[in-house]
Amino acid sequence: MGTVSQFHQSLRPPAHRIESEEEAISTARDLAAAFRHQASERDINRILPFAELDALSVSGLTAIAVPPDHEGLDMSNALLAEIVAIIAEGDASIGETLESHFSALETLRNQAAEDLKASLFARVLLGDRFAGAAFTDGAELTAEGPGYRLSGRTRQVPGILFADWIAAAATAPPCRPVTLYLARDDEGVQVVDDWDGFGQRTNGSATAIVGTLHVNADAIAPAPSSGHSTAISLGLLLKAGVSLGIARAAWSDLMIAIGDRSTSVLPRIGERAIRIEMAAAALERAGRKLDTAQVNPVEAAMADAHFSASAAAILAGETALATANALFELAGETSAGIGLNLDRHWRNARIHALSLPRDKLVHTAGEYMSKAGGA
């Protein structure tokens, strides 16, 4: 911990181009099955999944959120969330990395000028990965020639260790929120592997530190003015996808652990199965609303999508924790062996839930519904 991570040099072959939603689902299932084999060992020993992330890039799965206008696939948001859930069921940390990547791509789609979008989406099609981040209040961004001079550090966020590009929120003078698109291997950027969470142990969380770096004006995009932007809502939806994947992974291990005793706990099993199905339905509904908001980005549609994405994220997070708890309650001593490492599901769900601003989302949902009810 606390060491400066070196940029992962790899001779990654060109990424495959996925041509359909069906191919995307099939690819995700194949990768998730492969990731599942050593997910527990990676968690126990904190083996960072560089090879697995490269396989994800080469498969073309990291490029499925590139918009059709930039030679990407016209992917529905519900299916995008389901793919994140499939990957997270295989390995929750890899799923969270994909969550950060796709969220950053939606920020790029929303904010950036056409030249910047064309350049960076082309990199995504080749297999490059992104991570979203935010600089802390102490960061400095001052005008310098055709751009800005940057110094500071980001907050600790998932995915940076595996990213080729960092989409980092900052404030340009005088008080203008912007997003900076930084190359991860730039000499001015260091990434410190300082993550020590007891769950999501291999999700690539780290802190990016910039001593002094010139950022060209054409690598900067204005931040959206709406608090209900589709980038925020997609982030919530994909966060729900990761939680759903954790719940499914815990459920699968639960069914193995209880074995022949399943008949004695059928009501509890049924309850958990229904909750997982409800969470999946919430993701699908939120995804459809987000599709509408992206096509017609008026405030009412964006607020409705944000409300449903918030509901999905909260419900899926609660379902993941409850299912992980049920694994120990129903399987008993069968599930308690250290070597089985089944507690990773609870640890993953608990840590992942910490990044969800639940109280804020509930408050915002109350405001939204009170206005909708009075309209």
Side-chain angles (χ1 to χ4, degrees):
M1 307 297 173
T3 58
V4 175
S5 171
Q6 298 299 313
F7 180 62
H8 178 54
Q9 297 290 346
S10 66
L11 299 176
R12 205 163 52 211
H16 170 71
R17 187 69 62 90
I18 291 178
E19 300 291 349
S20 67
E21 292 187 339
E22 292 77 14
E23 184 184 1
I25 284 285
S26 175
T27 300
R29 287 172 176 160
D30 290 344
L31 286 169
F35 296 163
R36 188 177 300 116
H37 289 308
Q38 294 183 318
S40 177
E41 180 185 350
R42 286 193 294 272
D43 173 82
I44 291 172
N45 298 305
R46 197 169 183 267
I47 301 171
L48 296 175
F50 283 112
E52 288 75 15
L53 264 296
D54 280 350
L56 200 67
S57 289
V58 172
S59 77
L61 207 64
T62 53
I64 58 174
V66 173
D69 291 349
H70 294 274
E71 302 183 23
L73 183 65
D74 190 12
M75 172 73 64
S76 71
N77 287 295
L79 192 56
L80 195 66
E82 175 62 21
I83 285 171
V84 169
I86 290 170
I87 296 297
E89 183 177 356
D91 186 316
S93 286
I94 297 175
E96 190 171 23
T97 298
L98 204 55
E99 169 196 330
S100 178
H101 170 76
F102 287 146
S103 296
L105 295 191
E106 178 65 8
T107 299
L108 175 64
R109 187 191 72 83
N110 270 341
Q111 299 178 12
E114 286 302 317
D115 286 349
L116 182 58
K117 284 195 283 190
S119 174
L120 292 181
F121 279 135
R123 297 303 311 173
V124 178
L125 291 173
L126 292 173
D128 282 11
R129 297 186 294 268
F130 280 63
F135 278 94
T136 61
D137 293 338
E140 295 184 2
L141 194 63
T142 55
E144 181 181 73
Y148 293 88
R149 183 176 71 254
L150 170 68
S151 64
R153 62 171 58 215
T154 68
R155 296 183 177 88
Q156 192 181 64
V157 291
I160 287 186
L161 283 177
F162 312 126
D164 301 297
W165 301 87
I166 302 171
T171 302
C175 292
R176 183 168 59 97
V178 295
T179 300
L180 313 173
Y181 290 90
L182 310 176
R184 163 70 170 77
D185 63 344
D186 194 293
E187 290 183 0
V189 179
Q190 293 180 326
V191 175
V192 180
D193 181 7
D194 53 0
W195 177 240
D196 62 353
F198 61 76
Q200 294 294 86
R201 300 190 67 225
T202 62
N203 66 356
S205 282
T207 300
I209 299 175
V210 176
T212 300
L213 178 69
H214 178 80
V215 183
N216 289 332
D218 60 3
I220 301 173
S225 57
S226 173
H228 299 135
S229 73
T230 57
I232 293 173
S233 296
L234 181 63
L236 291 169
L237 179 63
L238 300 180
K239 190 170 292 294
V242 173
S243 293
L244 178 60
I246 294 171
R248 288 172 174 169
W251 167 262
S252 178
D253 281 339
L254 168 61
M255 298 307 293
I256 293 170
I258 60 178
D260 295 338
R261 292 174 293 156
S262 60
T263 55
S264 64
V265 290
L266 283 178
R268 297 287 303 281
I269 290 175
E271 176 71 18
R272 295 273 55 84
I274 287 171
R275 295 293 179 181
I276 291 173
E277 184 68 11
M278 289 169 62
L283 263 71
E284 185 173 353
R285 177 177 172 83
R288 290 198 303 269
K289 289 188 178 182
L290 188 51
D291 288 344
T292 300
Q294 287 175 331
V295 173
N296 184 31
V298 298
E299 185 60 29
M302 291 194 295
D304 193 32
H306 184 273
F307 169 71
S308 286
S310 299
I314 291 171
L315 177 59
E318 292 173 348
T319 300
L321 278 169
T323 308
N325 283 331
L327 173 55
F328 297 98
E329 293 168 2
L330 300 182
E333 294 182 359
T334 304
S335 61
I338 292 177
L340 295 174
N341 197 30
L342 296 180
D343 62 301
R344 74 183 187 278
H345 300 309
W346 185 90
R347 290 187 285 106
N348 290 340
R350 181 67 269 173
I351 286 292
H352 190 244
L354 292 177
S355 62
L356 184 70
R358 189 183 191 284
D359 291 346
K360 179 181 178 181
L361 295 179
V362 170
H363 180 81
T364 302
E367 287 184 336
Y368 170 73
M369 291 306 295
S370 64
K371 291 177 182 178

